[in-house]
Amino acid sequence: EVQLVESGGGLVQPGGSLRLSCGASGFTFTNYWLSWVRQAPGKGLEWVASINQDGSEKSYVYSVKGRFTISRDNAKNSLSLQMNSLRAEDTAVYYCAREWYSNGRHFDYWGQGTLVTVSS
Amino acid sequence: SYELTQPPSVSVSPGQTASITCSGDKLGDKYASWYQQKPGQSPVVVIYQDNKRPSGIPERFSGSNSGNTATLTISGTQAMDEADYYCQAWDSIAVFGGGTKLTVL
């Protein structure tokens, strides 16, 4: 069974930093692209960042470029999102999602999410 | 930047057909996916590559994509289908529509 379990969310002050983690199991981790997708309270889904199988390709939504860094540890089956210079508008539930990338691309499994609240 | 537009809400009577549209420039040239999200839960893909259903998704869910519009169709809508639905496509980055709240009443 595919499982994605996020952790690391919490309350942080504006300008602060937080590191999210996502532990994966039930599939061959090194075969898949992975992404972070967020959802602000009462709002829609917003893709944040993606990383390829060996970590050599990364992409970000414009609003987080230069502040967030996506990374993965294939030895530990773990995905991370380092978030710096956090703003109130970064407040959201952050989901880890596996990408199915073959003749098309979609998010086929999602974690349960971890809440990040940026507030003073 | 690329945008996908969905109606904020759609209402349907039980047993009837619900159609949710997603509009974007030349969307038919891309693959569209659809995600269902119920309150307090994570999203679940119900349609990918325009019209493919993942295992475990009921046959009443179908999709199409042509021109500038992708459509999610739910035939014989059930109360359990009440949820938010998001379309999604890739345009160098992943883009989601704003979501449509489906009410079954």
Side-chain angles (χ1 to χ4, degrees), chain A residues 1 6 9 31-34 49-50 53-54 57 74 78 92 100:
Chain A
E1 179 192 6
E6 301 94 336
N31 285 354
Y32 291 89
W33 284 68
L34 298 166
S50 287
Q53 292 92 332
D54 65 3
E57 294 183 42
N74 286 344
S78 178
W100 176 258

Side-chain angles (χ1 to χ4, degrees), chain A residues 53-99:
Chain A
Q53 292 92 332
D54 65 3
S56 62
E57 294 183 42
K58 304 175 185 181
S59 55
Y60 301 90
V61 68
Y62 180 80
S63 60
V64 309
K65 278 184 180 179
R67 300 189 299 122
F68 289 12
T69 301
I70 188 172
S71 62
R72 63 191 293 164
D73 184 337
N74 286 344
K76 296 182 178 179
N77 284 7
S78 178
L79 174 72
S80 296
L81 185 68
Q82 177 67 42
M83 304 185 295
N84 299 330
S85 302
L86 282 161
R87 307 166 180 168
E89 54 264 36
D90 296 318
T91 294
V93 173
Y94 284 73
Y95 295 101
C96 166
R98 192 182 84 167
E99 294 185 32

Side-chain angles (χ1 to χ4, degrees), chain B residues 13-104:
Chain B
S13 299
Q16 298 304 302
T17 297
S19 294
I20 300 174
T21 58
C22 174
S23 299
D25 185 49
K26 298 181 180 178
L27 179 57
D29 293 344
K30 311 177 192 298
Y31 279 124
S33 302
W34 290 91
Y35 301 86
Q36 177 194 68
Q37 187 180 34
K38 296 181 179 179
Q41 297 184 18
S42 302
V44 172
V45 60
V46 293
I47 293 290
Y48 66 97
Q49 287 183 27
D50 295 340
N51 54 23
K52 294 181 170 53
R53 274 181 298 104
S55 60
I57 300 302
E59 290 184 9
R60 63 180 179 273
F61 288 86
S62 63
S64 63
N65 185 16
S66 180
N68 294 324
T69 304
T71 303
L72 172 69
T73 302
I74 310 173
S75 304
T77 307
Q78 300 183 8
M80 69 173 65
D81 300 329
E82 188 163 285
D84 294 327
Y85 290 86
Y86 296 90
C87 61
Q88 181 260 317
W90 285 88
D91 182 63
S92 73
I93 64 169
V95 179
F96 286 94
T100 298
K101 181 176 183 60
L102 178 67
T103 301
V104 182

